[in-house]
Amino acid sequence: MADDISSFWGPVTSTKEWCELNYVRSSYIAEFFNTISNVPCIILALIGLVNALRQRFERRFSVLHMSNIILALGSMIYHATLGQMQQQGDETPMVWEMLLYIYIIYSPDWHYKTTMPTFLFLYGVIFAILHSQIRFGIGFMLHYALLCLLCIPRTYKYYIHTEDRSAKLLAKLYVFTLLVGAVCWLCDRLFCKHISGWYFNPQGHALWHVIMGFNVHFANTFLMYCRAQQREWNPKIKHFLGFFPYVKIHKLKAQ
């Protein structure tokens, strides 16, 4: 922590700290770059939310984009304060969001319509209660990684059954950004002692936030395309401002 700036939020109580000096630029923001780097995720999620609402996609996709925004806001609050409660407010929505992805990915093939959402809802509630009382540490990261791995088999099936090149490119960009983001996260986590001695800190965790903002946007757009294809809505990949991908659909009047 910088000696010349006091902390508005009090002492650090979170179990994790990242490779960024605390309260260097403001007494109100513990980790400045790790906080503001969540803004791209919010902007991209808003683009997806507007598209989902404007074209009347299924409600699950509006909820998905809103969950992305909530997660980014929770991350901003956590990195700005580095409090234990705020850390839980960051980590719990991460799990809830993955449960939502599991529902979106697997629900089209699930014949019992109420059992999956009921189970996932109860799972999320129980996890939130346990997480409010127990510091899982490495257990949380392993649990989160497991939820992510559960999404892979069905997502890969979507990919191999997708013929549109632009849609397949989204899936490839998702994997690429995930790998690059993971490298940034691991370097910031594992090599902080070496990085701290550098003249310039590359802010690996902040880069992770920015890259994962795009990663989530690519994933959401690909899933929306696949779902629109299942519903026979004639989906096409378009680009907002010539860069940000989104799904354009054409529903039949009966739909």
Side-chain angles (χ1 to χ4, degrees), residues 96-162:
W96 289 348
E97 184 180 70
M98 287 312 305
L99 295 176
L100 183 56
Y101 275 113
I102 291 173
Y103 170 72
I104 289 174
I105 291 170
Y106 284 100
S107 61
D109 296 329
W110 195 260
H111 299 294
Y112 304 98
K113 294 184 178 181
T114 59
T115 53
M116 176 180 278
T118 301
F119 170 77
L120 294 176
F121 175 79
L122 292 175
Y123 189 100
V125 170
I126 293 171
F127 173 81
I129 294 172
L130 291 175
H131 193 41
S132 68
Q133 303 298 320
I134 303 172
R135 295 190 179 190
F136 288 108
I138 188 66
F140 169 81
M141 290 185 282
L142 293 175
H143 173 242
Y144 183 75
L146 176 61
L147 293 177
C148 294
L149 290 174
L150 288 175
C151 296
I152 292 177
R154 190 64 181 88
T155 305
Y156 180 69
K157 185 177 179 181
Y158 281 142
Y159 174 79
I160 61 177
H161 285 89
T162 299

Side-chain angles (χ1 to χ4, degrees), residues 18 20 31-38 79 203 205-206 209:
W18 307 93
E20 180 179 358
E31 296 176 339
F32 180 79
F33 291 108
N34 287 347
T35 300
I36 65 170
S37 56
N38 285 283
H79 286 289
Q203 304 296 342
H205 195 73
H209 285 161

Side-chain angles (χ1 to χ4, degrees), residues 181-215:
V183 169
C184 293
W185 189 94
L186 287 170
C187 288
D188 185 85
R189 194 72 179 158
L190 300 177
F191 305 115
C192 183
K193 290 183 178 179
H194 300 284
I195 294 174
S196 298
W198 295 358
Y199 176 75
F200 172 74
N201 184 342
Q203 304 296 342
H205 195 73
L207 288 174
W208 153 265
H209 285 161
V210 174
I211 293 170
M212 291 308 294
F214 282 93
N215 173 267

Side-chain angles (χ1 to χ4, degrees), residues 18 29 31-39 41-42 67-83 86-91 93-94 205-206 208-210:
W18 307 93
I29 302 177
E31 296 176 339
F32 180 79
F33 291 108
N34 287 347
T35 300
I36 65 170
S37 56
N38 285 283
V39 173
C41 183
I42 295 174
S67 76
N68 299 149
I69 296 171
I70 291 171
L71 179 57
L73 291 173
S75 180
M76 292 181 75
I77 294 171
Y78 161 53
H79 286 289
T81 62
L82 291 180
Q86 289 80 4
Q87 180 182 347
Q88 292 172 343
D90 174 43
E91 292 178 345
M94 289 173 64
H205 195 73
W208 153 265
H209 285 161
V210 174

